Amino acid sequence: MFGLKADWSLDVFERYFTLGDYAGGEARWCPGCGDFAVLNTVHRVLRDAQLPPEQTVAVSGIGCSSRLPHYMGTYGFHGLHGRALPLANGIKSRRPDLDVWVATGDGDCFSIGAGPWIHSIRYNMDMVVLVFDNAIYGLTKKQTSPTSPEGMLTNTHPYGAPLPALNPLTVTLGITNVSFVAQVVDWNPPLLYETIKAAHQHKGTSFVRVIQRCPVFSQDFCKPMQEHPEQMLLLTHENGIPMDDSVKRVFKEQHEHDPSDWVGAMAIARDESRIPLGLLYHDPDAPVYDVLSSAGREKTNEEKLAAINAALDSFAI
Amino acid sequence: MTQTDETAALVSGLPDRQPTRISEHIVEVVSDSGEGAQKCGQTFGTISGKMGNGAWTVEIIPAEIQPPARSPAGASGIRIRVADSYVTNMGDEADLVVAFNEQVLYSRIANGAYKKGTVVLLDDKWASDPQEEIREQYAAAVGEFRDNGLVVHELPIETECLKIVDNARKGKNMFVLGMLCHIYSRDVQMGLDEIASAFARKGDAVIRPNQELFRSGYRFAAEHVDYHYRIDPWTDDMGPTVVTNGNQAIGLGVMASGMEMVAMYPITPATSASHYLADVFQDAGGFVHQAEDEIAAAGFAIGASYAGMTACTITSGPGMALKTEMMGLAVMGEIPLVVVDVQRGGPSTGLPTKVEQGDLLSTLYGMPGDAPKVIIAPATIEECFHYVILARKLAEAFRTPVFVLTDANLATGVQPYPRPVPQEEWLAAPIDQSAWDSNVPAYDWDPQTGLSPRPIPGQRGGEYVLTGLSHTNRSKVAYDSDTNQTSCEHRSRKLAALGKTLKPPVINGDDEGDLLVVGWGSTMGAIEEAVNKLRDAGHKVSSIHLRFLSPLEPQLKEIFSRFRQVMTVEINYSDRPDAPQITPENRRYAQLATVLRASTLVDVDCWSVVYGHPMQPGMIHKELNRRLTAMHNEI
Ligand SMILES: Cc1ncc(C[n+]2csc(CCOP(=O)(O)OP(=O)(O)O)c2C)c(N)n1
Ligand code: SF4
């Protein structure tokens, strides 16, 4: 009828992706671990973006959270402790067509990975960086992390973490060429979804600190936040993270913040009396290094050979 | 030798002396840094190469970054060995030296660079320096040099230059180039052309005075310097020829290999390879990434390789140390990768500008766990080029990192060699994005060879998670006991499979005899020169030079069995057998010797030193001669 073949729509439907297409092996985190929520959200964001799984690469370092690639049905690279970002940058360097996600932890990113953290923010290659911050080393069983609050009891500091916690937001905001900084908690699904979605849509390195529950080793880190959501400051703005009323009902403390306002973002990040949620900073125009690093990919063999011959000729005698 | 019109015009009216024919000379130009001695020597080397001579040029690098003027630590310059035959190394003591001041000569003397009879052409400006202290230093040094057998000629080099330019510091080098060109009967027109092209960017206003200085130096030597030689062209026609140092050869090799990404962090003596690439790589579609440190550089390269574009990282020893965990990951994840290690001496900044072959064992064994990998070592500058191309091919065919070990001697040595002809098949094939049969696991190891094809992100059906955790052939984290054993076996088997394809090393000299010398890397020219000289004197000595260090080339044990003694000659540390406390049990052998002893169970001896400078034929000759003589006395 109407001259259409009966299977006219098959091609389209064959490539419709369901959540299952993005899921890999069965996730093995502890019951109650916040990592599950982030994983499920990543699957949903990918499903809604309908990106082919083979075009997606999940890269990670080492830690509980860095197991994430194993639970994806996409390509993945479970790398070295602290070194997810250089690997991800390298993947992106000549393959700007790939959709790159990085899963890292507070130890993985802010401690052993501090160097790559700073420089990768500056490279601003197009990728989503999710830092699962449970304020503790989970995989290695309860050692102090840079974000462990002062006084937190850990196996390396049984009498209490001796120093004030590092503030990842001020550090990240302070890095030249930073382009996207957001913070979210793992236990509010709509906000988590919208935050990760916005991060994914941004062209550049989207840094998302996910405050993450580790009921096994750092219960006391998230529990007070869950019990007293008024400690959190929800950042609202038309250019910020879209949030529905359910989110606004939970986080009653709110502040209208324009994410293009870097000074305002710094002030919010520095104010440790409130834990900001939402988009602190967004600069869609910051230069993206993958544009430079992938230049020349289209050269033909003839052009390459001509260049090599010219180079050799410059040494000819 | 045809003299051009320029030459004829320049020498007209000058005494017509016939040059003495020599077959080779070692020439040095030494100055404070910043006086252009290197430019002078490089140009001299290029002209010699163009005139058909064999040549080897090596820079003399000051020990300090901002050395005071007129200090031994500031000795900066260049050595050029020119011959009527192929030259493979920097040789022993110099024959003729031009020095811009007397103090810099002290460091060369301390390095054993000169012998009795070495001719020193010394700028005499210091004899009339306004400072008495300098005048005294100068006079004392000249006396001392003469007492030690150097033939010193004090020449008014500065005075002559000041006739043409106001500041002789800029330009003296071209005057000296002119002198050298007369002394060695170089073609004047070539000299003038080289100057014109060297200063092409600066324009005529700079070219002209420099050419004038050159002409004046040439005439000066004709009138006032007694030495006048000719070195005939090498008869073997190499065909089209290029002149590069080893690092440029590495850079050219990277381009010609089809790699499009070099991730690096600056470290001497590796950096100049990246400097060179940064200048031209984009023309071939490539990119040099200067990473935040060596670990990140390795990670970046591994990331690019994982995504389908085999990449390269270039470093030196301390950078290699930082990269080790990444390298282990590349081995375990079976990621093709090319790692160039331009070896230098010591840890930290140990001997940053000096030569050492100190990274063989750390490259072989420095990674956590078992990490079988391919290690190759070019022996010449030409091989630096070709081995990078080989490295990418091997990396992809064997799905493994390939390490190319060179050293500061190859990196800074400059030599003419046949111009490579780039081939399209050297370039990388486009990244495969066709569908992958999802029944084929990510590591579909061939039980015989350990080889497996590699899915690339973008290939539908090939999705897998590369992991540093012990994994199955589907790259799934393994919780059983067999998996690690099996996967290690397959990775190791790849090396054995590659080894089966290699040819045994070519023996320089007879197939049997009293002594076999085994070398690797930059020492080949010096070793063969020493060995051949001993053979000419009737000794039964031969040598082999290994290019593959992992896997080793085949039949070594059998070759060793045909010699009474086998020893390595290397530039890395070993205990001397007669040193205090040392016994045959506790003696620490040189690195290749350690490997050969373990793999062949032959009692391979070694002679190795870590003076920080390249192996010279004379040093090797002396040691081998001592051993051969001792062996004969035993009979
Ligand atoms: C080079 C190196 N050092 C140390 C370790 C051990 N290690 C593995 S994970 C980890 C800490 C992980 O903590 P975090 O990043 O906070 O992640 P979490 O497990 O809490 O998700 C450490 C120290 C390692 N794997 N590699
Ligand atoms: S230890 Fe903590 S972070 Fe790790 S899986 Fe368990 S709950 Fe999650």
Side-chain angles (χ1 to χ4, degrees):
Chain A
M1 163 169 81
F2 306 122
L4 286 177
K5 287 202 311 195
D7 61 350
W8 64 275
S9 59
L10 268 188
D11 272 1
V12 179
F13 276 99
E14 190 190 37
R15 294 247 81 188
Y16 179 80
F17 305 108
T18 63
L19 287 177
D21 290 318
Y22 300 101
E26 188 198 335
R28 292 174 188 245
W29 288 301
C30 306
C33 177
D35 294 354
F36 287 107
V38 188
L39 175 69
N40 293 335
T41 307
V42 171
H43 290 164
R44 280 178 55 213
V45 169
L46 280 169
R47 189 267 323 266
D48 293 348
Q50 281 296 301
L51 280 172
E54 71 269 15
Q55 285 294 327
T56 303
V57 188
V59 188
S60 66
I62 305 291
C64 294
S65 37
S66 291
R67 288 296 181 97
L68 182 134
H70 289 285
Y71 312 139
M72 302 280 291
T74 65
Y75 279 90
F77 195 144
H78 180 207
L80 294 185
H81 192 27
R83 316 288 163 204
L85 286 165
L87 294 165
N89 291 333
I91 290 169
K92 198 74 190 173
S93 68
R94 297 300 282 183
R95 295 293 306 275
D97 55 308
L98 295 174
D99 188 37
V100 176
W101 295 70
V102 176
T104 172
D106 39 306
D108 198 55
C109 186
F110 306 142
S111 191
I112 189 168
W117 166 33
I118 289 177
H119 291 278
S120 300
I121 294 292
R122 182 165 161 250
Y123 297 141
N124 194 33
M125 299 177 89
D126 187 18
M127 60 183 68
V128 180
V129 178
L130 302 171
V131 187
F132 296 62
D133 192 346
N134 53 8
I136 196 82
Y137 286 13
L139 190 73
T140 47
K141 300 195 183 341
K142 206 179 185 182
Q143 295 84 21
T144 310
S145 113
T147 54
S148 299
E150 191 172 350
M152 187 184 212
L153 304 184
T154 71
N155 283 332
T156 39
H157 293 108
Y159 304 107
L163 295 170
L166 178 143
N167 184 333
L169 297 179
T170 54
V171 176
T172 309
L173 283 168
I175 301 166
T176 308
N177 213 34
V178 59
S179 68
F180 186 105
V181 181
Q183 179 157 279
V184 64
V185 293
D186 77 56
W187 56 86
N188 189 299
L191 188 62
L192 186 62
Y193 175 87
E194 291 296 344
T195 306
I196 294 180
K197 185 176 167 188
H200 189 226
Q201 283 168 349
H202 167 64
K203 189 161 169 55
T205 298
S206 309
F207 173 90
V208 182
R209 180 187 183 213
V210 183
I211 295 173
Q212 175 237 320
R213 287 164 299 163
C214 171
V216 182
F217 296 125
S218 62
Q219 265 247 16
D220 294 346
F221 175 56
C222 293
K223 217 164 185 188
M225 298 184 216
Q226 289 180 279
E227 286 167 359
H228 300 283
E230 65 278 11
Q231 293 181 22
M232 324 298 270
L233 182 67
L234 194 65
L235 304 178
T236 58
H237 192 271
E238 56 177 345
N239 295 333
I241 306 294
M243 39 192 78
D244 58 22
D245 288 346
S246 76
V247 175
K248 291 185 179 163
R249 270 200 301 275
V250 179
F251 303 109
K252 296 210 172 62
E253 295 297 321
Q254 295 170 8
H255 174 70
E256 170 97 357
H257 166 67
D258 179 351
S260 68
D261 172 12
W262 183 85
V263 175
M266 247 324 184
I268 294 166
R270 283 178 58 99
D271 177 3
E272 304 206 341
S273 66
R274 291 283 163 79
I275 299 159
L277 297 180
L279 185 56
L280 282 99
Y281 184 63
H282 187 202
D283 174 4
D285 301 322
V288 181
Y289 189 70
D290 8 338
V291 173
L292 289 178
S293 69
S294 64
R297 288 198 325 149
E298 66 300 329
K299 292 237 188 239
T300 61
N301 279 356
E302 266 151 46
E303 289 172 311
K304 290 177 191 172
L305 285 172
I308 299 156
N309 276 313
L312 282 164
D313 286 340
S314 73
F315 293 103
I317 58 168
Chain B
M1 191 177 302
T2 51
Q3 293 277 295
T4 60
D5 296 347
E6 266 288 345
T7 311
L10 206 52
V11 293
S12 74
L14 294 180
D16 183 19
R17 285 185 284 134
Q18 278 311 306
T20 315
R21 185 182 160 190
I22 51 175
S23 70
E24 75 154 79
H25 245 206
I26 297 171
V27 183
E28 287 193 359
V29 185
V30 212
S31 68
D32 283 343
S33 64
E35 292 187 305
Q38 289 172 351
K39 174 110 236 155
C40 166
Q42 278 154 2
T43 315
F44 181 69
T46 306
I47 297 168
S48 300
K50 286 191 176 176
M51 291 182 69
N53 291 131
W56 183 279
T57 314
V58 62
E59 289 173 7
I60 298 160
I61 296 165
E64 293 173 20
I65 295 176
Q66 288 291 354
R70 294 174 39 76
S71 67
S76 166
I78 194 154
R79 160 180 282 219
I80 316 104
R81 185 180 183 193
V82 186
D84 59 10
S85 58
Y86 190 58
V87 182
T88 60
N89 65 83
M90 67 182 237
D92 296 309
E93 298 94 353
D95 298 290
L96 185 138
V97 183
V98 185
F100 291 18
N101 73 62
E102 80 291 350
Q103 292 300 314
V104 290
L105 290 172
Y106 279 112
S107 94
R108 301 300 299 148
I109 291 167
N111 270 306
Y114 308 142
K115 60 189 173 195
K116 284 194 185 358
T118 297
V119 171
V120 178
L121 307 181
L122 179 60
D123 191 348
D124 71 2
K125 74 173 267 203
W126 313 101
S128 53
D129 195 89
Q131 289 185 49
E132 189 184 336
E133 194 193 339
I134 289 182
R135 294 197 300 274
E136 281 170 4
Q137 279 174 355
Y138 175 84
V142 169
E144 201 180 313
F145 296 159
R146 286 188 174 133
D147 290 347
N148 285 309
L150 298 186
V151 182
V152 183
H153 297 274
E154 301 169 76
L155 303 176
I157 297 177
E158 170 105 354
T159 316
E160 289 295 320
C161 291
L162 288 176
K163 292 178 185 167
I164 297 166
V165 286
D166 296 337
N167 179 4
R169 219 181 124 78
K170 293 231 183 305
K172 198 183 280 183
N173 59 341
M174 290 299 123
F175 182 88
V176 170
L177 178 64
M179 285 171 60
L180 290 176
C181 282
H182 183 267
I183 296 171
Y184 292 100
S185 312
R186 308 286 83 171
D187 188 285
V188 171
Q189 187 59 50
M190 273 188 199
L192 294 171
D193 292 348
E194 284 300 316
I195 293 172
S197 76
F199 296 107
R201 277 191 204 172
K202 297 192 174 159
D204 244 18
V206 176
I207 295 173
R208 242 178 295 112
N210 277 292
Q211 288 182 333
E212 209 33 55
L213 284 158
F214 173 85
R215 286 196 184 91
S216 136
Y218 191 94
R219 284 184 66 92
F220 177 82
E223 283 174 292
H224 302 288
V225 177
D226 281 344
Y227 307 99
H228 190 35
Y229 304 108
R230 65 172 235 258
I231 303 171
D232 287 349
W234 183 30
T235 41
D236 290 16
D237 183 11
M238 274 199 273
T241 305
V242 289
V243 179
T244 74
N245 67 31
N247 274 359
Q248 288 161 337
I250 294 278
L252 289 162
V254 167
M255 281 172 89
S257 75
M259 287 189 285
E260 292 175 10
M261 170 61 67
V262 165
M264 51 75 69
Y265 186 81
I267 182 166
T268 309
T271 319
S272 65
S274 304
H275 286 177
Y276 172 63
L277 271 173
D279 197 22
V280 293
F281 206 11
Q282 64 274 14
D283 300 339
F287 186 74
V288 177
H289 171 61
Q290 179 178 336
E292 57 270 30
D293 59 38
E294 280 92 348
I295 307 176
F300 201 94
I302 288 175
S305 290
Y306 164 80
M309 176 43 66
T310 300
C312 178
T313 183
I314 306 181
T315 190
S316 189
M320 283 288 284
L322 288 178
K323 288 179 203 284
T324 51
E325 195 189 9
M326 277 291 179
M327 297 303 128
L329 176 70
V331 172
M332 190 163 196
E334 303 195 44
I335 303 170
L337 181 75
V338 176
V339 184
V340 178
D341 174 8
V342 185
Q343 300 165 98
R344 66 186 208 182
S348 172
T349 64
L351 296 164
T353 57
K354 303 271 160 100
V355 184
E356 196 171 301
Q357 298 178 311
D359 297 344
L360 175 57
L361 290 180
S362 58
T363 306
L364 256 178
Y365 300 121
M367 277 124 244
D370 188 49
K373 81 274 294 177
V374 178
I375 305 176
I376 54 181
T380 64
I381 290 169
E382 182 182 4
E383 286 180 3
C384 287
F385 175 88
H386 291 286
Y387 280 34
V388 177
I389 295 160
L390 174 67
R392 186 188 67 81
K393 290 259 184 235
L394 291 175
E396 289 183 5
F398 288 84
R399 207 176 167 180
T400 179
V402 176
F403 293 76
V404 182
L405 301 187
T406 76
D407 63 28
N409 184 29
L410 288 174
T412 57
V414 177
Q415 191 191 26
Y417 56 91
R419 181 196 188 282
V421 182
Q423 306 293 317
E424 185 160 10
E425 67 253 29
W426 292 352
L427 302 177
I431 296 174
D432 187 358
Q433 295 288 276
S434 62
W436 178 274
D437 177 356
S438 54
N439 293 315
V440 176
Y443 299 96
D444 191 19
W445 293 303
D446 179 312
Q448 288 303 312
T449 61
L451 298 177
S452 57
R454 183 169 79 108
I456 306 286
Q459 282 191 288
R460 186 175 168 185
E463 296 87 349
Y464 77 109
V465 179
L466 189 142
T467 178
L469 280 166
S470 175
H471 50 263
T472 65
N473 66 346
R474 293 202 166 266
S475 202
K476 296 291 179 212
V477 180
Y479 298 100
D480 62 303
S481 51
D482 277 347
T483 300
N484 195 43
Q485 179 70 28
T486 315
S487 53
C488 281
E489 283 168 5
H490 284 116
R491 289 191 290 267
S492 186
R493 204 159 295 160
K494 291 193 291 185
L495 275 196
L498 170 58
K500 284 275 160 61
T501 69
L502 302 178
K503 291 193 208 130
V506 177
I507 301 174
N508 169 50
D510 292 341
D511 286 354
E512 54 180 36
D514 290 334
L515 179 63
L516 178 73
V517 180
V518 188
W520 64 286
S522 75
T523 53
M524 182 175 80
I527 291 176
E528 291 190 351
E529 193 169 323
V531 165
N532 294 346
K533 195 166 163 193
L534 287 159
R535 294 178 56 75
D536 289 347
H539 289 287
K540 293 194 171 90
V541 52
S542 302
S543 62
I544 57 173
H545 212 76
L546 300 183
R547 300 332 199 264
F548 273 80
L549 301 164
S550 172
L552 280 168
E553 290 160 37
Q555 294 176 26
L556 293 181
K557 189 168 182 154
E558 194 271 320
I559 295 171
F560 292 178
S561 73
R562 293 187 245 128
F563 291 84
R564 284 174 65 201
Q565 257 191 38
V566 181
M567 65 181 289
T568 67
V569 169
E570 302 178 58
I571 316 176
N572 52 48
Y573 182 78
S574 64
D575 291 327
R576 285 174 203 265
D578 56 354
Q581 315 297 343
I582 297 307
T583 66
E585 282 75 40
N586 72 7
R587 179 176 176 209
R588 294 174 59 240
Y589 284 80
Q591 300 198 5
L592 179 61
T594 303
V595 173
L596 294 177
R597 291 170 69 84
S599 62
T600 64
L601 293 183
V602 173
D603 187 8
V604 177
D605 197 357
C606 60
W607 180 76
S608 70
V609 285
V610 283
Y611 297 125
H613 49 71
M615 251 326 156
Q616 292 174 288
M619 307 163 71
I620 303 172
H621 181 269
K622 197 168 145 201
E623 175 62 22
L624 300 186
N625 196 29
R626 189 185 67 76
R627 289 183 185 232
L628 287 161
T629 313
M631 279 167 78
H632 289 305
N633 293 344
E634 273 166 29
I635 304 169

